[in-house]
Amino acid sequence: ATLADSFLADLDELSDNEADVLEEENNDVANMEEDIDGDLADIETLNYDDLDSVSKLQKSQRYIDIMQKVEDALEKGSDISNQGLVLEDDPEYQLIVDCNGLSVDIENEIVIIHNFIRDKYRLKFPELESLVHHPIDYARVVKKIGNEMDLTLVDLEGLLPSAIIMVVSVTASTTSGKPLPEDVLQKTIDACDRALALDTAKKKVLDFVESRMGYIAPNLSTIVGSAVAAKLMGTAGGLSALAKMPACNVQLLGAKKKTLAGFSTATSQFRVGYIEQTEIFQTTPPALRSRACRLLASKATLAARIDSTRGDPLGNAGKTLKEEIHKKIEKWQEPPPAKQPKPLPVPDSEPKKKRGGRRLRKMKERYAITDMRKLANRMQFGVPEESSLGDGLGEGYGMLGQAGSGKLRVSIGQSKLAAKVAKKFKEKNYGSSGATSGLTSSLAFTPVQGIELTNPQAHAHQLGSGTQSTYFSETGTFSKIKRT
């Protein structure tokens, strides 16, 4: 096949693939349209004007069964005969786990009903939702007010604090809302009744859980309390799951992220969950609460692990851990010990032993006083010393210049350190083995004889020892170099 034929074949294959891709895309689009139509159909079937279509928890079989068991258990009391069973096999433990899950569902359902009540009652009193934030309090106030426009005729005492009651009354006198129709008002009142019924059921469930926490988790309940222990177990998913959880995660159980509207988090409180509801946390000073929270989380985790293995059914370990927590917090609050005045050490009249050796000798030789300074510090008896300004004025020269030469210059010999440095410099240049430099040679060129054999080491020794003597005489005068 030629090049043109192969090119045409490739074009045919590409066109076939594009057709397949287009068919798949069309199928996907059709499926998506069907799904969207199905979702829209489900959404359209929901009637937000009907409370039963929004709130379905109270009519569910799970809610009815658990509440029936809770009421029976509260009437019957704790069953002592089941205390020999394994914790996971105990029916009361399973009921407690179910109650913890149901309490979370009840809270979510109350939020849904609260939104329903706000949407309906917003036409009558739109400012009320910004004044009363708690869902249960809002439902009670709405049920109490109803369609009444003059709030001076409505007694809200006991439902809200006095300051909030005054603000609500003033705001209601200037509100732009209008009375609700009878059917809308009736639906709103029914939603309020349902929210209050759910709140009552939630309290009943929590009372049952708290009453059984002394048997299920005695050590954990001793440290953090029955209510907090029940909440921790419910959030974690049971006592076994709580025992397997690290303490840093137990500290955050129940924590809610705060929306600061873009402001800095530097001044906001650290994240704490249900542990902040404990008595120990509340009685701790604010400066120590972060440390106390970590301590409580760690001890609560240890207590949960003891309870999960039924290690101490009487709760003695929990009491010991709680005492340790109190002692540590009290220890943190103690003032620091006063600084005691430190007396001076007893003077030692005996001379202290000083370090000797080569290093000290080198240091003494390096900083030793010179011969010139020694002579300047001495004075000869009966002989006046010379001074810088004459006639005894200025700095005196001592015995300088009185050695016989009449001059201040003093010739000193080379020190041992200088000799050692010169020796090291020579070994560095010519090697420690005494070998000569590679640039030296035994051939010397003279103007008389031409080439002459010489000893380079002897020549270097003569140069090193006689250099100063060729330039300076013994008296210190300059002399010319003699040429051969």
Side-chain angles (χ1 to χ4, degrees), residues 142-307:
V142 168
K143 185 178 179 181
K144 190 75 173 178
I145 295 175
N147 253 348
E148 185 65 46
M149 298 302 294
D150 188 7
L151 289 192
T152 57
L153 303 176
V154 180
D155 185 15
L156 297 177
E157 196 69 31
L159 300 180
L160 296 174
S162 301
I164 299 180
I165 292 175
M166 185 180 299
V167 174
V168 169
S169 301
V170 173
T171 309
S173 61
T174 60
T175 184
S176 60
K178 297 179 181 179
L180 296 176
E182 288 298 329
D183 56 343
V184 178
L185 180 62
Q186 188 60 38
K187 290 179 181 178
T188 307
I189 298 299
D190 293 341
C192 295
D193 293 336
R194 185 170 297 189
L196 296 176
L198 285 173
D199 185 61
T200 305
K202 179 186 172 184
K203 289 181 179 178
K204 191 178 295 184
V205 168
L206 291 179
D207 291 340
F208 165 73
V209 173
E210 290 177 12
S211 65
R212 297 300 186 268
M213 287 305 295
Y215 159 64
I216 299 296
N219 297 284
L220 182 62
S221 302
T222 304
I223 295 177
V224 298
S226 300
V228 177
K231 292 178 181 179
L232 291 175
M233 280 181 54
T235 309
L239 186 59
S240 301
L242 182 64
K244 296 175 183 177
M245 191 176 293
C248 58
N249 293 350
V250 174
Q251 177 182 344
L252 299 178
L253 287 178
K256 295 181 181 179
K257 188 175 182 180
K258 298 180 181 179
T259 56
L260 299 178
F263 291 98
S264 174
T265 59
T267 57
S268 63
Q269 189 182 9
F270 58 95
R271 293 183 63 190
V272 186
Y274 295 127
I275 292 183
E276 69 177 352
Q277 302 175 11
T278 58
E279 182 184 357
I280 298 176
F281 185 89
Q282 296 296 331
T283 55
T284 304
L288 300 175
R289 284 185 177 179
S290 60
R291 298 176 65 185
C293 182
R294 291 193 293 270
L295 181 62
L296 273 169
S298 61
K299 300 301 182 184
T301 306
L302 293 177
R305 291 169 184 172
I306 294 173
D307 291 332

Side-chain angles (χ1 to χ4, degrees), residues 74-107:
L74 287 176
E75 293 177 358
K76 183 177 61 174
S78 180
D79 191 2
I80 309 298
S81 61
N82 293 332
Q83 293 187 3
L85 296 176
V86 182
L87 187 61
E88 281 75 9
D89 298 336
D90 193 347
E92 282 198 352
Y93 175 75
Q94 299 297 330
L95 182 58
I96 288 174
V97 174
D98 295 337
C99 288
N100 290 326
L102 182 63
S103 64
V104 176
D105 295 338
I106 290 175
E107 290 180 359

Side-chain angles (χ1 to χ4, degrees), residues 1-18:
T2 60
L3 181 61
D5 296 337
S6 62
F7 183 69
L8 291 174
D10 293 339
L11 287 177
D12 293 337
E13 290 179 0
L14 287 174
S15 62
D16 295 339
N17 293 335
E18 289 178 356

